[in-house]
Amino acid sequence: MTGKALDVRTESSIEVFDLDLKSGKLVHIKSISSEALDSPNNLAVDKDGKGFLVINGGRTKLGPFRGGPFKFGSSSISYCRTETGICRTVASQGFDLANSIAMGHDGLAYISMSSTGTLAVYKMAGNELTQIDALSLGSALDHLSVDARGNILITAFTDPVELQEASTNPQASVTAGTVLMVQKKNGPSKKPDEEQYILQPMIEDEAAKLMSTTTTAVHDRLLAFIEAARSTEGGPISTKFSERMAGNLQEINPASTAVAKDDLVIPLIDFGPFYTGTPSDKHAVALSITNAFKTSGFVYLKDHGIPPSVVSRVFASSAGFFRRPQSQKDGLGWTTPQSNRGYVAIGREKLATLEETGEMDVLRGSAPDIKETMEIGREGVEGLPNQWPDHLDDEGKDFKETMLSFFGMCKDLHKQVMSAIALGMNLPEHFFDDFVNDGDNNLRLLHYPPVRKDVFKQNPNQVRAGEHSDYGSITLLFQDRHGGLQVRSPKGTFVDATPIPDTIVVNAGDLLARWSNDFIKSTRHRVIEPPKPEGEYQDDTSDSYPARYSIAYFCNPNNNKLIEALPGTYGEEINVTKKYADITAGDYLVQRLTATY
Ligand SMILES: O=C(O)CCC(=O)C(=O)O
Ligand SMILES: [Fe+2]
């Protein structure tokens, strides 16, 4: 700012400034005044950056009715060109207290009407601005902003009486604010009779605790927060809301903390509301999961829909399988990475990180993973049969049945979690459905046999399962009560991911990280001996650690699907480039598995 009073006519001028990036100052360029400007109150700049649409406030900003209740004033819209300074009225009918205008990425103008709660959509055609759509949102609407994906954010007030009071006596009253997001549905799948817009409440604050009289909200999609600004007596206040908080601020908080150490935070998320809650509950769950995936890459899920009795049965069946004579298990042996099915004896697989895979043989010799596993793939794939023990005995038949049914339940849960991720990444809820419907997943039963404690003492590199990241989209991990799983923190330390009854640990895999252009993190983890139970000494007398069982369900996109960076994770708008070449899910996984065995 120049600091000098400008010679402008406040009632009907637009001041054009240039932001000088070097000095960080606004430099006044010119003043535009025109008959077509009448108490302008909000504007939106054109795509070419040189023209703009202005809402004319109809003189409510000045004179005796200034600041009064919203009874006066009709509005019109003008269009001005900055180069010429020429403005003309482009629409003058149908604006019921037009309050804010924003230019969408689709080139359409969005206008909020505060009195009727309408979001109107306009198109510039020739010299006229024509209304092409109107959405009735039901609340008094304030400012609009457009986020990087083209979604429209609207601050709104749900209680008109409160709002009226707040406008006449702002110091003494509060009025609950909300932030709504309007997403446009596009793409070829759009049916003509379908609603074209999706409305999602982003933040609700019915008690008016956090967002009283909030008037402006901007969405930083990249950093996943919404910034809301309000004006109060002491001046403007701006608050950042984590997207995690979106939804209903007071009533539901789907996340609590399961692990927090060395900057590693893993939330415990109640997935129930995703199935049964309101759209806003669902959205809140989606954002909690996606936020966790963007930071630690891990969550614990409770109320995930797979009954505890089913999980117990699968654990029992798994233990029964591993009790079989070695010769029986060897007869069902794992053969190739392409198949990735069958029994893997102790020492065969050595989990390792991407960088280490070249030295696999050296690693395997020094400290093989102390575990045996049974790998079960999608049933019924030609040429790739599962290695069932059903020909051996009844227990073998039961094992097959139990595992097949469990496989299906996990497949469904995969789809649900991917829907949550889609919502959380601002994609249509069913975006991933066609990517995961085949169920090219892998159910891995793990058995870590009892180990003498001195094995770990003598070899500091000894682990039950080496440090690694998972390969696919997500992993659903069921743990028994013996701990040992550790997740790598941003500080490089390993933090215990202690078992929590009736929860699943869900973590993102390398392919999902790649798919999300690394917005989602695939975090390394490992399994070591169980941690010392706090305050318990009885175990200390034993010279070995007890067996541990776990079940990992590795979810993958369909083998034949091409994995290319997800919409919204790259592009000029967010100034991020695509980091990885496209690859089919199947090729990626075989490549990774080949390096491991
Ligand atoms: O057994 C566990 O808890 C983890 C196993 C694991 O991370 C894996 O097999 O990828
Ligand atoms: Fe893993």
Side-chain angles (χ1 to χ4, degrees):
M1 299 289 258
T2 61
K4 276 186 250 154
L6 299 165
D7 176 23
V8 293
R9 292 185 295 142
T10 46
E11 227 176 296
S12 56
S13 77
I14 302 277
E15 303 308 316
V16 184
F17 291 85
D18 188 28
L19 175 64
D20 181 21
L21 287 174
K22 268 201 209 117
S23 65
K25 286 194 174 129
L26 281 174
V27 184
H28 187 245
I29 302 292
K30 73 191 312 183
S31 183
I32 300 177
S33 54
S34 159
E35 286 293 306
L37 292 177
D38 181 13
S39 299
N41 74 11
N42 199 250
L43 57 80
V45 178
D46 235 2
K47 261 198 172 160
D48 74 356
K50 296 200 175 105
F52 55 89
L53 287 161
V54 192
I55 298 179
N56 291 310
R59 295 176 195 272
T60 48
K61 301 267 151 141
L62 291 167
F65 302 121
R66 182 180 192 278
F70 311 114
K71 285 190 193 118
F72 302 93
S74 61
S75 325
S76 65
I77 311 282
S78 297
Y79 180 73
C80 307
R81 293 294 301 176
T82 314
E83 324 93 295
T84 60
I86 295 173
C87 300
R88 56 191 157 78
T89 309
V90 285
S92 53
Q93 302 276 300
F95 298 103
D96 225 337
L97 287 172
N99 199 355
S100 176
I101 184 165
M103 202 66 91
H105 294 181
D106 48 13
L108 300 174
Y110 292 82
I111 300 176
S112 62
M113 315 284 181
S114 52
S115 60
T116 57
T118 308
L119 177 68
V121 188
Y122 282 82
K123 189 181 183 159
M124 247 331 229
N127 276 344
E128 271 186 54
L129 195 63
T130 333
Q131 184 172 321
I132 55 165
D133 237 321
L135 283 80
S136 179
L137 305 186
S139 313
L141 305 182
D142 210 325
H143 275 100
L144 304 176
S145 64
V146 181
D147 78 4
R149 297 279 329 274
N151 300 325
I152 317 288
L153 253 73
I154 312 165
T155 43
F157 301 102
T158 38
D159 188 330
V161 178
E162 249 178 32
L163 179 61
Q164 191 87 351
E165 267 163 33
S167 67
T168 40
N169 192 1
Q171 275 85 8
S173 48
V174 292
T175 177
T178 88
V179 180
L180 306 170
M181 181 191 268
V182 173
Q183 228 177 333
K184 196 172 172 183
K185 272 196 211 164
N186 26 20
S189 65
K190 202 192 89 195
K191 297 185 192 82
D193 56 345
E194 229 175 32
E195 274 204 304
Q196 245 187 307
Y197 300 91
I198 305 167
L199 176 70
Q200 285 174 349
M202 294 294 283
I203 309 179
E204 285 172 335
D205 179 26
E206 270 161 36
K209 277 196 195 122
L210 293 151
M211 301 208 310
S212 176
T213 55
T214 291
T215 57
T216 303
V218 223
H219 184 199
D220 188 327
R221 218 182 64 83
L222 209 54
L223 300 175
F225 64 72
I226 298 160
E227 180 137 9
R230 59 192 158 129
S231 38
T232 63
E233 212 183 341
I237 293 191
S238 135
T239 316
K240 283 180 185 168
F241 291 97
S242 152
E243 272 189 5
R244 198 167 60 71
M245 304 253 285
N248 193 329
L249 287 179
Q250 322 87 60
E251 277 161 20
I252 61 155
N253 180 10
S256 58
T257 304
V259 174
K261 198 177 169 194
D262 293 348
D263 296 342
L264 179 82
V265 178
I266 307 180
L268 169 59
I269 295 169
D270 183 352
F271 200 59
F274 196 78
Y275 296 119
T276 55
T278 62
S280 135
D281 297 343
K282 199 168 178 171
H283 203 239
V285 173
L287 290 171
S288 312
I289 294 179
T290 312
N291 253 2
F293 275 7
K294 285 182 188 168
T295 49
S296 67
F298 271 77
V299 299
Y300 285 71
L301 280 195
K302 68 173 181 185
D303 221 354
H304 42 72
I306 301 181
S309 59
V310 169
V311 178
S312 307
R313 191 166 160 209
V314 176
F315 269 100
S317 194
S318 164
F321 175 81
F322 289 115
R323 270 196 303 269
R324 288 181 180 277
Q326 192 62 40
S327 60
Q328 279 188 7
K329 295 189 281 189
D330 288 340
L332 302 168
W334 189 95
T335 47
T336 62
Q338 283 73 17
S339 155
N340 195 28
R341 285 159 171 82
Y343 170 76
V344 182
I346 294 172
R348 170 104 193 237
E349 186 200 32
K350 172 71 192 172
L351 288 173
T353 54
L354 267 177
E355 299 91 90
E356 283 168 353
T357 39
E359 302 158 56
M360 200 50 77
D361 290 340
V362 184
L363 270 171
R364 210 177 266 131
S366 76
D369 286 357
I370 309 179
K371 67 172 203 277
E372 53 179 344
T373 73
M374 177 63 172
E375 313 284 334
I376 298 163
R378 166 148 77 104
E379 178 75 346
V381 179
E382 238 200 274
L384 304 175
N386 274 315
Q387 304 290 320
W388 299 116
D390 57 337
H391 58 280
L392 297 174
D393 45 40
D394 281 351
E395 196 185 317
K397 287 191 183 64
D398 183 69
F399 175 87
K400 177 177 173 182
E401 205 178 291
T402 304
M403 295 308 161
L404 279 176
S405 139
F406 184 63
F407 196 102
M409 290 186 189
C410 291
K411 179 184 162 189
D412 292 345
L413 182 56
H414 176 217
K415 187 175 151 200
Q416 295 290 344
V417 175
M418 293 310 289
S419 296
I421 295 169
L423 278 182
M425 306 249 335
N426 244 331
L427 297 167
E429 181 178 346
H430 298 290
F431 181 90
F432 291 112
D433 287 8
D434 290 344
F435 280 95
V436 302
N437 53 358
D438 285 352
D440 281 325
N441 306 327
N442 174 236
L443 170 59
R444 168 183 290 180
L445 310 176
L446 292 117
H447 173 220
Y448 304 92
V451 203
R452 290 178 57 87
K453 289 180 178 168
D454 54 20
V455 170
F456 291 98
K457 283 207 193 89
Q458 279 156 14
N459 186 351
N461 294 326
Q462 186 61 60
V463 286
R464 274 180 151 168
E467 175 183 350
H468 68 284
S469 52
D470 294 344
Y471 307 153
S473 56
I474 59 169
T475 303
L476 310 176
L477 180 74
F478 303 76
Q479 312 190 58
D480 70 8
R481 64 189 173 83
H482 304 291
L485 175 66
Q486 294 189 318
V487 179
R488 197 171 193 272
S489 76
K491 293 192 167 153
T493 57
F494 277 95
V495 176
D496 291 329
T498 309
I500 301 177
D502 298 336
T503 67
I504 310 177
V505 172
V506 183
N507 62 292
D510 297 337
L511 192 50
L512 182 56
R514 181 178 172 132
W515 207 353
S516 74
N517 213 20
D518 284 340
F519 275 92
I520 286 175
K521 306 286 181 298
S522 170
T523 304
R524 293 180 190 182
H525 49 282
R526 67 178 188 185
V527 181
I528 59 157
E529 73 270 21
K532 271 202 189 77
E534 263 172 54
E536 286 179 40
Y537 296 98
Q538 64 268 39
D539 271 359
D540 279 356
T541 53
S542 151
D543 61 1
S544 59
Y545 293 112
R548 176 174 189 267
Y549 292 88
S550 66
I551 298 160
Y553 186 82
F554 299 105
C555 305
N556 303 308
N558 301 349
N559 268 331
N560 60 3
K561 281 287 183 188
L562 190 69
I563 301 304
E564 37 188 332
L566 291 170
T569 61
Y570 64 93
E572 272 173 25
E573 279 162 14
I574 57 171
N575 203 16
V576 178
T577 51
K578 247 192 203 188
K579 291 192 183 170
Y580 304 99
D582 303 346
I583 189 167
T584 63
D587 286 351
Y588 181 81
L589 293 167
V590 169
Q591 199 178 303
R592 295 295 305 274
L593 283 164
T594 307
T596 313
Y597 286 88

